[in-house]
């Protein structure tokens, strides 16, 4: 089918390369990779995700019978809003709803999702694919790191976002999801619009990262350089880049999976980390590179 071409690795990687490069080399991501992240930002990032997923899932429900989206309707497997609500209750307390607000950078992202759901539901495919498949990719790699770095309970409080109760085999589910997308029939114009929308979704995420980076400048909290480096600091050795390692790990390369695990496990001195939004960007990068 015509849609299958759109989601082939080469077309997707080429079409999102600029967005990926911006994410990989942004100051916020470089700070994360060095471990220079402040704990308070974790809570703000979780709140931002809550508003984004609330919008996505509200619009999916409204359009679940749309012929373009019906094959991708997996609420029990994918929905994240309730999981994020649990995380926010753990982080802020029972009155968490009165303590959070939709940030200036998150609001345009949320508004765009509602606009798409109302005026062009086909483009919801791009938003759902960008977020959910990213969460099932690199985001999963960082779950245990988040628990250890933030000293969260091993029972999952604070990181419910990562736990997909309805998915027992993420790799198999992603394969199913991609096969469903490949079966969708769209024309060339719609195919281009979907690619553009995926890039736009990536840019909205980057806007949130930039906002968090700026907020972090005014938060007085000790951070620690743990030795991660951005891809651009690798001196040409891309195998040392966490994005590259994540890509190879999720593609089934056990050598890189082990290397990435070792790279993470070496960071035992981490005290604080922005785990939720950063896991999301790592997931996005891993998914885009697959």
């Amino acid at each position: 089918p015509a849609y299958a071409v759109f989601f082939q690795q080469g077309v997707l990687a080429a079409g999102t390369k600029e967005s990926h490069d911006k994410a990989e080399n942004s100051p916020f991501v470089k700070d994360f990779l060095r471990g220079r992240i402040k704990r308070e930002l974790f809570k703000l990032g979780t709140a931002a995700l809550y508003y984004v997923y609330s919008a996505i899932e509200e619009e999916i429900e409204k359009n679940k019978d749309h012929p373009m989206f019906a094959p991708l309707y997996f609420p029990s497997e994918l929905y994240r809003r309730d999981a994020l609500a649990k995380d926010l209750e753990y982080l802020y307390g029972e009155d968490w709803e009165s303590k959070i607000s939709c940030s200036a950078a998150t609001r345009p992202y949320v508004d765009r999702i509602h606009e798409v759901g109302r005026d062009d539901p086909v483009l919801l495919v791009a938003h759902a694919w960008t977020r959910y498949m990213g969460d099932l990719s690199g985001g999963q790699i960082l779950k245990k790191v988040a628990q250890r770095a933030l000293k969260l309970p091993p029972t999952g409080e604070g990181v419910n976002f990562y736990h997909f109760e309805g998915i027992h085999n993420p790799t198999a589910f992603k394969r199913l999801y991609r096969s469903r997308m490949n079966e969708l029939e769209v024309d060339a114009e719609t195919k281009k619009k979907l690619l553009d929308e995926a890039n736009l979704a990536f840019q909205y995420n980057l806007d949130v990262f930039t906002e968090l980076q700026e907020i972090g400048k005014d938060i007085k909290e000790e951070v620690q350089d743990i030795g991660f480096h951005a891809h651009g600091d690798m001196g040409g050795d891309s195998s040392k880049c966490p994005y590259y390692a994540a890509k190879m790990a999720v593609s089934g390369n056990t050598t890189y999976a082990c290397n990435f695990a070792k790279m993470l496990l070496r960071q035992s001195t981490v005290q604080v980390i922005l785990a939720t939004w950063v896991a999301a960007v790592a997931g996005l990068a891993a998914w885009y590179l697959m």
Side-chain angles (χ1 to χ4, degrees), residues 103-206:
S103 72
T106 308
R107 174 53 59 188
Y109 192 2
V110 169
D111 289 345
R112 175 59 181 173
I113 292 167
H114 287 307
E115 178 185 1
V116 162
R118 180 184 65 248
D119 300 334
D120 198 354
V122 171
L123 299 184
L124 275 178
V125 171
H127 287 279
W129 168 79
T130 299
R131 289 264 21 125
Y132 292 121
M133 293 300 99
D135 299 335
L136 283 169
S137 297
Q140 295 303 294
I141 298 174
L142 295 180
K143 177 180 179 179
K144 292 189 181 297
V145 176
Q147 289 177 309
R148 183 172 63 252
L150 294 170
K151 296 182 171 63
L152 299 173
T155 46
E157 287 88 344
V159 287
N160 287 289
F161 170 69
Y162 301 103
H163 182 51
F164 290 78
E165 291 184 352
I167 299 177
H168 303 294
N169 185 330
T171 300
F173 182 84
K174 286 186 292 183
R175 189 180 304 118
L176 169 65
Y177 199 90
R178 288 195 294 269
S179 71
R180 292 284 184 90
M181 296 184 81
N182 290 343
E183 292 170 1
L184 300 176
E185 295 185 8
V186 298
D187 56 27
E189 180 182 357
T190 303
K191 188 161 53 178
K192 181 181 183 303
K193 287 171 62 178
L194 283 164
L195 180 57
D196 289 343
E197 195 69 22
N199 273 306
L200 183 60
F202 209 172
Q203 182 60 51
Y204 281 131
N205 280 279
L206 288 174

